[in-house]
Amino acid sequence: MEILQSVIVNQKTKRDFQFNASFGPYVKFLKNRMASSSGMRAKFYSYLVHKFEKYPELLVPFRHEILNASHRELLNLVQMSVLPLTSVLDDSPLALAFMQPETFVHYTDSFKKLVVDEKIDFATSKDEYNLLRYFQKHILERYYKRWPDNVQHFFKKAYNAELNTTRHFKIKIDSRFTEVTVSGQLPDYKPDWHELLYLPEAEYFASLGQFPFASFCIEGFLVLQVEDVSEQAAINQLNNAIVNMHSFGIEATLKKVQESMGELLHDSKIKMGITPFFSLNDEVVYDETFTSKPILLHLNGEDVKNRISRKDVVELFAGGHRPFIYSKVDAHLRKHHPFLNGLEEQGINSYMAFPIKTREALLGIFELASSEAGIITEASIEHIQLAFPIIADVFHFMIRLFNSRIEKVVKEKFTSLQPSVEWKFNKVAWEYIKTISDQHPGQLDNIVFKEVHPLYGSVDIRNSSVERNSACMLDCQAQLTCTAELLREIAGKISLPLLEGLEYKCKTFLSRITNELSVENELKVNDFFHAELEPLLHYLTQRHPQVEIPVNNYFDSTEMETGFFHKQRRAYQQSVQLLNDNMVLFFENEVHKLQELYPFYFEKFRTDGLEYNIYIGPSIVPGQPYNSIHLKNLRLWQITSMAQVAILNHQLEKHLPIPLQTTQIILVYSTPIDISFRKDERRFDVEGSYNIKYEVIKKRIDKAKIQDTMERLSKPDCIAIVFNNQKDMDAYREHIEFLQDKGVLKNEVENLVLEDLQGISGLMAIRLGINYPVSNEA
């Protein structure tokens, strides 16, 4: 037993609360027990009282400085009386404490080892907070007969910078040897005092004046018992991190897991690696976004000189291999296991790789490493054994999240099902599931949305067929020219009359496709290359090695991805791809923002350009009140977005391998229609013969011409808006005037009548010029 006098003073406690050191309440407690006891117990109490009464200066409030070595026997007797007879002295981290100033007047060896030697500070703001709240409850119980709760302990988190450890302690307080006295009249009880107890730390200190601490004084000493609950606290922290993974996110969760591992192994600087293995089409893959930085695992490339390859890890651990545990990574060990050189590079001297598995599969690898040798050993497994099921939950969560991401991409990018209509599919699916039985196979109801407002838009690449044909023609001309040259070169080395005949055929084809490549000629040219020329060239290289180099160079030029003979077609495809990607990204971002205002169904189709359908109405989202303002907002957006995408395409034009222009068309159809989901085609379509007219107009307006002219309605640098009665157009008129005033559209408006289409007559249109921003480039 030692006496430790801490000189650190909690300022708030000193100002607002009075605690007088005294053994008087302890002696009173003994006398009460003596009166109700008999035999040896009563004699023991009498003996203690007799010993303390020899020091009357200790039975009244005193300054703690008067305690000295001569009082050691008394303090030992106190300890004997407060500890149960079954307690082992060294296993009981116990201290006698005065609270003002904070002084451990006596403590056991186990307390010294756990608290004093670890340099645990008991005079932090958090300690003040816990003690003041404890004494406030103490006063409420003794004077106001209020019992806020029965909690007689608090928890303390302590970080030791010198030892680089974080510990958690449960502090039990025994206040039986204290007395509370009141100065003057007892203050009236206020309900706010109870609420004060449960305020957060900062608010509690700010509200201290609400409780009359100055009216009370506590005399005596406290008995503090300390229990190290670091392991349980770390497990709880780990559990909380896993429970809140959806809120925290992967990065924050992994950080919490690493902190917990450090606390379990008493090394706050411990490194952790979590590498989940995802199964995709029966192949193990990994995703870096779900991986904390691997320590020794090598996930990319072939050079695994100083790492363990992912393939080897999967094979080893999937086959039941025990964990890798290297408690001391030294030169001798690295010599026999070269892959451990990767640890030396990172300054790691102890390491573990542990497989996280289920009965069915290997979920991934959990790694721990420390710069200190001997930190990670076989015994470490026992310390973190309770954590492994929780770690497995992390892997399961990551795998579910990975699968969800794959599913989300498939749903968003490859299917037409969207959140705005998914509720209906879920409802129909549930009704279907409820009707399934052994006797009844069940039947799926049709998915129909009635009276929705359709909005259609199309951005088409101008003259795409002409541009594609031109690119094919130029490539064919290039290949025919080079083929003729190759045949002449081979004829100079080999005597074969057929070569001259094939050269003549090349020249004949060239004369036919000088200005245009017809479908018939394209088929004939391709048949010539594949059926006549290629077999001959392969034959010649086998029989005549002297022609192998020029022939191989020729075949290199025929490669689709890199060959010279496909250069123009690649340039065309790249130009179309860049325009389409530009438009898809633009509309996806726009629709995402619009859906937050009011959900609607949106589908797009990529051709040589992009088309989209929008359906909006109360049947799409029955849970939200529908207002015509949502439709009005989408109509304004239609014109604005068409102008914006035309501007983006215009800016992109100069960066395209082949300059391409786009045309923009909007179809106005004010009559609500019904749409249903076609199970066979897995897409929505109009429902009912009356609504078919809308689909017919959509499919044919891109070829529409202006009446009594040969001019196409669609025109670069313009937006064409098609309608079949003036009332429909009036819905867009104010939006057009607004955008003209903003300078988005030109002031000139072309009012047009369209030629009759097959099965459709009476269509009208207006055409609006787009104002392109002036370029700042020279």
Side-chain angles (χ1 to χ4, degrees), residues 433-453:
I433 289 170
K434 288 194 296 184
T435 61
I436 294 176
S437 65
D438 294 337
Q439 294 76 31
H440 194 285
Q443 184 174 355
L444 278 170
D445 294 336
N446 289 331
I447 294 176
V448 180
F449 295 96
K450 292 187 174 293
E451 295 191 338
V452 295
H453 295 278

Side-chain angles (χ1 to χ4, degrees), residues 36 89 98 193 253 259 293 308 433 668 676 691 695 711:
S36 59
L89 185 61
F98 300 141
W193 296 348
T253 298
E259 289 175 2
K293 188 176 181 180
I308 306 173
I433 289 170
V668 180
S676 65
N691 297 320
E695 282 293 322
E711 182 184 357

Side-chain angles (χ1 to χ4, degrees), residues 664-681:
Q664 293 72 224
I665 296 179
I666 293 171
L667 172 61
V668 180
Y669 201 85
S670 60
T671 306
I673 63 173
D674 299 341
I675 60 171
S676 65
F677 187 76
R678 305 296 183 203
K679 301 185 189 75
D680 52 346
E681 300 177 13

